[in-house]
Amino acid sequence: MWKEIGDRERGILRPKSFTTRIKSNRIRTLQISNHKDIVSPHRASINSLQVDLTEGRYLLSGAADASAAVYDVQRATDYEAGGLIAKHKCLFVVDKQHEHGHKYAISSAIWYPVDTGLFITGSHDHHINVWDTNTTQVVMNFKMPGKVYRTAMSSLATTHMLIAAGTEDVQVRLCDIASGAFSHTLSGHRDGVMTVEWSTSSEWVLVTGGCDGAIRFWDIRRAGCFLVLDQSHSQLGRRPTIPEHSATNKALTSKSLSSGQNLNAKPRAQQRKLANGNGTKQSPVGRMPAKGSLRQRLHPGMLSSLDRATAHYGAVTGLKATEDGMYLLSAGSDSRLRLWDVESGCNTLVNFETVRLQAGKPIQLATSQDSDLVFVPCMTAVKAFDVWSGNTSQTFRGHYEYVNSCWFSSQEQELYTGGNDKQILVWSPSRLIADEMDEGPAQDRDNWSD
């Protein structure tokens, strides 16, 4: 800790690198918290967790007893052990006793991404409820054709307020909060849709994972999906970077053209020959590609040969996009984790270490703020994998039964996990770092200070 501070003072570390390194060090010391305890009011398994995206302060949970609760994770409601353990009891809970509450298990609970005035719950009773946080009343209700497995809203959206819903029906439905009706449906899956995830780089792109093993990409502005991921279509590792010499050559060429220098005919001929492999005339840049390639570029998801591609041997149970939107992580009932390059649609062949995943229900994945770690519920434990190597970085054991959901708070660098044991556990950075920071200034105090 103090080494990083010293490097920052000497100018060795830039501010962004300093922040990244401190956060990474805190994540590496995550352990079950001995100073923060969330008191769960749920009487059944916890299926969904999310901290609000605006303040990073309020934790929302949804459980199989048809209840949803909200907690303030920054301000405790009570203290125990002489003030050493902060107890965080729920601010409110809505359950079956509520007039418009759900009747069966809540499978998904999410915050409205713009503010904490609304939250959305999806249930096995075939309903999606939109709740007013201040009054704890249902302000909107959507009747779905089957059990709701997962709901999602785009954190980037500025032109729409759509809730994407994955249900046991084959169609994905988009619920519009502004109008209170379905905007449209997305057809393509051959079985129920277990998980949905909005792109983190475009407000129009939605990713869905189905019980048919398919992962489909949709542009909600047009009909049909535009990409179906195929596990056999692969590339090794990260996307190739642009070679430095290529960028240098491009800059030199631009400089030469801007200074008025003319290229003679001989180099042009050589360039044409190298580009084409022969001396034939180059096709113009603006020329349209062949009919077949155009069709494949515009509608690969609509082609019969690609439409049946699968990403997993079994249901897709979890999806998580990286922070930059360039990669997608997926989990399946085949107990496989895969990392996908979104632009090329390729399986990057990252060999994640052997894990056992739940097969009968969706699981909630989480990533660290730099997307270098992915947190995956693996039966009774949560494992943190290095996204790029697939190696296990940490294993979190504390639940007595299967873990269903996890959420990483980038603001506090804390991990929240919920499982079938009805508990919400908090995994915090080691307090040793905080103690060192508290002791540091004390060593510099002089003897005559007040």
Side-chain angles (χ1 to χ4, degrees), residues 377-389:
C378 302
M379 296 305 184
T380 59
V382 175
K383 290 191 175 183
F385 294 97
D386 185 284
V387 171
W388 310 111
S389 69

Side-chain angles (χ1 to χ4, degrees), residues 317-437:
T317 56
L319 292 173
K320 184 66 178 179
T322 57
E323 187 178 7
D324 55 13
M326 296 173 63
Y327 295 89
L328 176 73
L329 288 148
S330 68
S333 60
D334 55 359
S335 287
R336 293 287 185 272
L337 291 174
R338 291 194 169 93
L339 178 67
W340 306 86
D341 187 319
V342 172
E343 184 177 356
S344 64
C346 291
N347 177 9
T348 59
L349 298 179
V350 174
N351 185 22
F352 290 95
E353 294 183 0
T354 304
V355 294
R356 289 185 61 201
L357 305 178
Q358 292 192 62
K361 62 189 302 184
I363 59 175
Q364 186 179 354
L365 311 178
T367 56
S368 58
Q369 75 274 358
D370 53 6
S371 299
D372 280 342
L373 291 177
V374 56
F375 302 95
V376 183
C378 302
M379 296 305 184
T380 59
V382 175
K383 290 191 175 183
F385 294 97
D386 185 284
V387 171
W388 310 111
S389 69
N391 297 329
T392 303
S393 174
Q394 295 163 277
T395 301
F396 305 99
R397 303 184 187 276
H399 287 278
Y400 295 106
E401 297 182 36
Y402 289 173
V403 183
N404 303 316
S405 57
C406 53
W407 182 270
F408 181 79
S409 173
S410 58
Q411 182 169 324
E412 302 290 335
Q413 287 87 55
E414 289 183 334
L415 179 68
Y416 304 95
T417 59
N420 290 350
D421 56 3
K422 314 169 192 177
Q423 299 299 315
I424 300 174
L425 298 185
V426 184
W427 308 83
S428 301
S430 172
R431 291 300 294 267
L432 293 176
I433 296 178
D435 294 342
E436 291 175 3
M437 292 181 68

Side-chain angles (χ1 to χ4, degrees), residues 31 49 82 147 156 168 185 210-211 258 284 299 308 331 383 429 439:
Q31 60 185 8
L49 293 172
K147 294 179 182 178
L156 303 177
E168 60 182 353
T185 58
C211 297
S258 61
H299 300 285
R308 297 183 181 276
K383 290 191 175 183
E439 293 174 3

Side-chain angles (χ1 to χ4, degrees), residues 75-369:
R75 180 174 297 179
T77 55
D78 195 9
Y79 290 90
E80 289 184 357
L84 297 178
I85 301 177
K87 292 286 186 178
H88 296 260
K89 298 179 181 179
C90 64
L91 303 179
F92 65 85
V93 60
V94 290
D95 53 21
K96 290 182 181 179
Q97 308 305 321
H98 192 281
E99 181 182 2
H100 300 291
H102 291 289
K103 304 305 178 188
Y104 302 120
I106 291 179
S107 55
S108 179
I110 61 173
W111 284 108
Y112 182 59
V114 176
D115 58 49
T116 56
L118 296 174
F119 66 92
I120 298 96
T121 56
S123 171
H124 287 181
D125 63 4
H126 301 193
H127 284 272
I128 293 177
N129 288 347
V130 180
W131 299 80
D132 186 311
T133 308
N134 297 314
T135 62
T136 64
Q137 296 297 318
V138 176
V139 295
M140 200 167 295
N141 177 271
F142 297 93
K143 179 70 168 66
M144 308 304 290
K147 294 179 182 178
V148 179
Y149 290 133
R150 194 63 72 193
T151 57
M153 292 192 73
S154 173
S155 59
L156 303 177
T158 57
T159 57
H160 67 75
M161 293 185 290
L162 298 177
I163 305 170
T167 68
E168 60 182 353
D169 185 57
V170 296
Q171 292 181 323
V172 180
R173 283 171 170 78
L174 300 180
C175 313
D176 190 358
I177 294 181
S179 64
F182 298 121
S183 62
H184 50 287
T185 58
L186 307 175
S187 301
H189 284 283
R190 293 174 173 81
D191 205 343
V193 180
M194 193 166 281
T195 179
V196 292
E197 175 85 356
W198 286 95
S199 168
T200 53
S201 59
S202 172
E203 64 176 301
W204 305 109
V205 177
L206 176 69
V207 189
T208 60
C211 297
D212 55 359
I215 297 177
R216 294 175 177 267
F217 283 72
W218 313 80
D219 186 330
I220 63 173
R221 296 169 296 182
R222 68 180 188 185
C225 67
F226 66 88
L227 178 63
V228 182
L229 297 184
D230 187 351
Q231 57 187 312
S232 62
H233 183 210
S234 60
Q235 70 183 33
L236 190 60
R238 296 196 192 193
R239 185 182 308 165
T241 57
I242 300 175
E244 186 177 352
H245 63 82
S246 298
T248 305
N249 292 341
K250 184 177 180 181
L252 291 174
T253 303
S254 301
K255 185 177 181 180
S256 299
L257 292 175
S258 61
S259 61
Q261 295 178 2
N262 295 323
L263 300 177
N264 56 37
K266 188 173 181 180
R268 282 186 183 178
Q270 291 177 350
Q271 290 174 5
R272 187 184 302 119
K273 186 172 183 179
L274 289 173
N276 294 335
N278 52 43
T280 58
K281 184 179 179 181
Q282 275 187 313
S283 59
V285 176
R287 183 177 177 181
M288 295 295 289
K291 184 177 181 181
S293 61
L294 177 63
R295 184 186 177 196
Q296 185 174 357
R297 182 172 62 86
L298 293 178
H299 300 285
M302 305 298 289
L303 296 178
S304 59
S305 60
L306 297 175
D307 190 48
R308 297 183 181 276
T310 58
H312 287 271
Y313 295 112
V316 180
T317 56
L319 292 173
K320 184 66 178 179
T322 57
E323 187 178 7
D324 55 13
M326 296 173 63
Y327 295 89
L328 176 73
L329 288 148
S330 68
S333 60
D334 55 359
S335 287
R336 293 287 185 272
L337 291 174
R338 291 194 169 93
L339 178 67
W340 306 86
D341 187 319
V342 172
E343 184 177 356
S344 64
C346 291
N347 177 9
T348 59
L349 298 179
V350 174
N351 185 22
F352 290 95
E353 294 183 0
T354 304
V355 294
R356 289 185 61 201
L357 305 178
Q358 292 192 62
K361 62 189 302 184
I363 59 175
Q364 186 179 354
L365 311 178
T367 56
S368 58
Q369 75 274 358

